[in-house]
Amino acid sequence: MTPSSISFLKLNNDKTKLGVCKSNLTNSVWNGCVEFFDINNNNIIENNKFNEIPNKSIPFYSGTTCLEWIDNEKCLVSGDDSNIYLLNSSNLLKENDDNNNNNNNNNNNNNNNNNNNNNNNNNNDKEDKSSKKNILKDDDILFEKVHNNSIISHLNLNLKTKQLLSSGWDKLIKQWDINTNSLISEFSLHYKKINQTIWSEFNDFLFLSGSDNGIVIWDSRININSNSNKNKSVFLNETNGIPVNSVCWSKEYDYLFYAGLKNGTIKQFDIRVLTPLLPTTNSINNSNDDDNNKNWKLHELGINQLKINNSTNQLISISDDSYLKIFNIKTQEIIFKYKCTDFIKSFDLLLNNNLIIGSIDNNLNILNF
């Protein structure tokens, strides 16, 4: 059965490949897949639908939750089985092309047997998973059972330092060194499940996390080997019992960040006001400008993802209310909105201000704004 819900999607760095995580609930058991697409940015838009056929669909025996590219060929994938997988899309594509050719030859030599098997399969609703075992192998697991058998909700990689953050439903954040495939540290200040963790784009040591209990900004350098995890936090903000589904940093100012809440509100925070000693790289003063801490009610339901458009510095949000909205932060106006057929779970920016969105009904769509 083809997994029917898109949980996450992301383009590689040069926007030539798309990785899509999908999940499906079958007989109370989650399974999933990762699909890879080659992206032709000059010929991708046709009736606002994503018409490309995936180069490869890689089955998983668990739901897939997040995907993070290491380079233009390799990516990391997290699952609800608490594993982090390392996949090389090029090798997988080549291996499976060879497997498909071999399977085709075998099928041609065994038509009679296949016909008999098909008749038997029609009387049996159980899915034959034997072929999947040759696609996803044990040695594809980079880090195994790393979040106490809990769901890994998000991955974020600092491409410069190759430091990976994983966050999970076990209320933990873990920092990994991809160069050495080793665990660096754990952070455990959250007391409810963590939904997203993002490195700062201005400072290689700061990262931001959002959970069902609030927001934390961490400095990964502080007491990195200490058991006193609370000392690693530089800012904690409770959100009055409203879960924080998504967070993102400003692309323009290193002291601003945004949080998307489950009630459809977007909050802007200024860390100069909240924590005057927090290191920043821009030339700023520590003024108590409370005007920079703002709230905007842009959606009716939970916000699943936030992202700043690098070229326009506008805030893009998607929600379970099935809307994608683009918000001009300076004028505080919604300049574009799009209503999808179902919950929008993930999106990314293509070239030339095109957006690709994935929804829970297994559809990929292209938007041009």
Side-chain angles (χ1 to χ4, degrees):
M1 179 184 292
T2 301
S4 60
S5 175
I6 294 173
S7 53
F8 193 82
L9 63 82
K10 191 164 187 178
L11 293 155
N12 64 356
N13 295 328
D14 64 4
K15 301 187 183 297
T16 58
K17 284 189 178 181
L18 174 70
V20 180
C21 295
K22 295 185 177 183
S23 298
N24 186 70
L25 185 62
T26 305
N27 298 326
S28 300
V29 176
W30 283 101
N31 52 60
C33 72
V34 174
E35 292 183 348
F36 291 105
F37 299 81
D38 282 339
I39 299 297
N40 183 343
N41 284 285
N42 296 321
N43 189 30
I44 196 172
I45 300 175
E46 183 179 340
N47 300 320
N48 285 341
K49 291 289 289 183
F50 188 82
N51 295 321
E52 300 287 343
I53 298 174
N55 298 87
K56 181 59 198 172
S57 179
I58 306 163
F60 278 69
Y61 292 126
S62 65
T64 54
T65 57
C66 193
L67 182 148
E68 188 76 338
W69 291 93
I70 296 177
D71 53 34
N72 286 322
E73 302 295 336
K74 298 177 184 177
C75 67
L76 301 165
V77 173
S78 59
D80 62 14
D81 58 359
S82 207
N83 293 332
I84 299 175
Y85 299 85
L86 174 63
L87 303 180
N88 187 320
S89 61
S90 293
N91 287 349
L92 284 165
L93 295 178
K94 185 178 185 302
E95 282 180 12
N96 286 284
D97 285 341
D98 293 340
N99 288 337
N100 288 336
N101 289 333
N102 290 333
N103 289 334
N104 288 335
N105 290 332
N106 290 333
N107 288 336
N108 289 333
N109 293 328
N110 295 282
N111 285 332
N112 292 331
N113 290 334
N114 287 337
N115 289 333
N116 292 331
N117 289 334
N118 287 336
N119 291 331
N120 292 331
N121 288 337
N122 289 334
N123 297 323
N124 190 343
D125 291 332
K126 293 183 178 180
E127 182 182 6
D128 179 10
K129 294 184 177 181
S130 60
S131 61
K132 294 181 181 179
K133 295 179 182 178
N134 295 323
I135 297 175
L136 190 62
K137 303 175 184 178
D138 290 340
D139 55 9
D140 291 325
I141 299 176
L142 185 64
F143 303 117
E144 187 171 10
K145 304 299 181 186
V146 295
H147 279 272
N148 301 308
N149 289 322
S150 294
I151 294 173
I152 299 175
S153 53
H154 196 254
L155 302 174
N156 186 242
L157 178 67
N158 184 322
L159 287 172
K160 187 168 89 173
T161 64
K162 297 298 183 183
Q163 299 292 295
L164 175 73
L165 296 172
S166 65
S167 51
W169 285 24
D170 60 351
K171 311 162 196 173
L172 291 176
I173 300 169
K174 296 194 176 185
Q175 179 183 350
W176 309 86
D177 189 331
I178 299 303
N179 291 316
T180 61
N181 294 344
S182 59
L183 177 65
I184 301 299
S185 189
E186 294 185 5
F187 307 90
S188 59
L189 190 58
H190 288 286
Y191 57 86
K192 291 186 178 180
K193 71 178 179 70
I194 302 168
N195 299 312
Q196 197 170 36
T197 310
I198 302 288
W199 285 109
S200 168
E201 296 190 26
F202 292 92
N203 189 312
D204 289 334
F205 304 104
L206 292 182
F207 62 91
L208 168 67
S209 59
S211 74
D212 279 4
N213 68 273
I215 301 161
V216 179
I217 299 178
W218 311 80
D219 188 333
S220 62
R221 297 168 297 182
I222 299 175
N223 294 333
I224 198 165
N225 295 316
S226 170
N227 291 324
S228 179
N229 288 313
K230 289 187 177 181
N231 292 332
K232 297 177 182 178
S233 170
V234 292
F235 166 62
L236 170 64
N237 180 268
E238 295 285 341
T239 49
N240 300 319
I242 305 172
V244 178
N245 290 351
S246 181
V247 289
C248 75
W249 293 92
S250 168
K251 301 286 187 180
E252 188 174 9
Y253 304 107
D254 66 344
Y255 50 83
L256 293 180
F257 68 89
Y258 304 91
L261 276 58
K262 193 173 182 178
N263 66 357
T265 298
I266 295 175
K267 288 180 173 286
Q268 175 182 278
F269 292 92
D270 184 340
I271 60 178
R272 299 174 301 173
V273 178
L274 302 169
T275 53
L277 297 179
L278 192 69
T280 57
T281 55
N282 288 348
S283 179
I284 59 174
N285 56 43
N286 290 326
S287 61
N288 290 321
D289 183 10
D290 288 331
D291 289 339
N292 274 347
N293 296 318
K294 297 182 173 69
N295 300 294
W296 302 294
K297 177 72 172 177
L298 295 188
H299 293 274
E300 296 303 317
L301 296 175
I303 295 170
N304 293 321
Q305 188 179 352
L306 292 174
K307 184 173 287 191
I308 298 289
N309 186 337
N310 289 347
S311 60
T312 64
N313 201 38
Q314 295 162 343
L315 183 64
I316 306 171
S317 60
I318 56 173
S319 168
D320 277 346
D321 64 9
S322 303
Y323 272 101
L324 177 144
K325 295 183 179 181
I326 301 178
F327 185 67
N328 188 316
I329 300 171
K330 292 183 178 179
T331 65
Q332 300 190 38
E333 295 176 324
I334 297 174
I335 61 172
F336 178 86
K337 64 181 179 180
Y338 170 79
K339 173 78 170 176
C340 191
T341 56
D342 211 330
F343 303 158
I344 307 174
K345 305 306 290 185
S346 188
F347 74 93
D348 207 350
L349 286 156
L350 294 156
L351 299 178
N352 302 321
N353 284 334
N354 295 320
L355 284 166
I356 182 165
I357 62 173
S359 53
I360 202 171
D361 57 1
N362 197 29
N363 283 322
L364 289 167
N365 291 288
I366 304 296
L367 300 180
N368 190 353
F369 64 95

